[in-house]
Amino acid sequence: MPPGELPATLLHSSCSLEKTLQCSCSFYGIPTPTVHWWMGSDLVSVNGLDGGSQVTSTIRGPWANSTISLTKQPEVGTRLLCEGKNHNGSHALSILLMSRKSSLVPQTFIKGLFRGFVYGAIAIMLLSFCLIPLIMKHTKMKQAKKIAAIKTARSPEVRECQEPKRPLKPEEPEKSIITPSSESQILEPVSLCG
């Protein structure tokens, strides 16, 4: 860069909305920068009307000021670019245009909220499909235990063990038999009552 020359630098920018949207950019540079406005990928012509926009530029010494007025409401999400350029460099400002009527933030929030509800419902449904077989198995096991307890309580062997024994004839005293130790076997009576 030759001495005394400066690249284009954006020093001030602003946007206001009254009847129309107006955005301004101020660049400084030596030599004086040229200013261009871009709407999306289209270059907006200077000092004239172009498809719902009007550009006005003024140059004073090393300063270049430019203002764009949008007479038509832009589409939501349109990018407006203000670019200042000289042969030593360029500087640009990108502005995302959004409508007051349909703000991008609430739409995104509502879409996210809806997705959250849908994904939550899917997760609950999948979880319930996994839990239902486990709950059914647990319920069947409880029922099987109850049925087994009822059958056991109704069986004659168990009832016999639970009822008090009433001998039909008086008991006789038992006689002891002593056997030599080499032939001894201990025989225990088998009882169904445990």
Side-chain angles (χ1 to χ4, degrees):
M1 180 170 21
E5 290 192 2
L6 296 170
T9 305
L10 176 68
L11 295 179
H12 178 73
S13 64
S14 66
C15 284
S16 64
L17 179 64
E18 291 175 14
K19 290 182 180 179
T20 61
L21 175 67
Q22 287 190 342
C23 292
S24 297
C25 291
S26 297
F27 290 92
Y28 181 84
I30 301 174
T32 305
T34 56
V35 180
H36 298 285
W37 287 93
W38 299 80
M39 177 108 36
S41 60
D42 299 326
L43 179 64
V44 180
S45 66
V46 179
N47 295 329
L49 289 170
D50 184 30
S53 59
Q54 179 181 4
V55 176
T56 307
S57 294
T58 56
I59 297 174
R60 291 199 180 107
W63 291 91
N65 300 311
S66 185
T67 301
I68 188 168
S69 299
L70 300 178
T71 55
K72 293 182 182 174
Q73 187 173 2
E75 291 182 31
V76 175
T78 302
R79 290 208 179 270
L80 187 62
L81 181 80
C82 176
E83 179 185 39
K85 185 190 302 191
N86 65 14
H87 65 266
N88 294 316
S90 66
H91 199 174
L93 170 70
S94 179
I95 302 163
L96 178 63
L97 301 177
M98 295 176 24
S99 170
R100 281 184 174 179
K101 292 179 184 175
S102 58
S103 177
L104 196 58
V105 174
Q107 287 177 358
T108 304
F109 175 75
I110 290 171
K111 284 180 184 177
L113 188 64
F114 179 73
R115 285 182 184 159
F117 282 131
V118 170
Y119 294 153
I122 290 170
I124 289 171
M125 192 169 57
L126 290 174
L127 184 62
S128 66
F129 282 139
C130 293
L131 289 178
I132 287 174
L134 292 175
I135 292 170
M136 295 297 290
K137 183 178 179 182
H138 179 70
T139 306
K140 285 181 181 179
M141 287 178 60
K142 274 187 163 183
Q143 286 178 345
K145 284 182 182 179
K146 282 183 182 178
I147 291 170
I150 292 170
K151 283 183 179 179
T152 310
R154 290 184 181 170
S155 72
E157 294 87 17
V158 173
R159 239 189 273 138
E160 184 180 301
C161 292
Q162 290 175 347
E163 293 177 359
K165 293 185 180 182
R166 295 184 196 133
L168 298 175
K169 60 180 184 175
E171 291 185 17
E172 296 180 14
E174 293 184 19
K175 296 179 184 175
S176 313
I177 302 173
I178 301 174
T179 59
S181 63
S182 62
E183 297 176 14
S184 71
Q185 285 184 332
I186 301 174
L187 298 175
E188 295 183 13
V190 177
S191 171
L192 294 174
C193 297

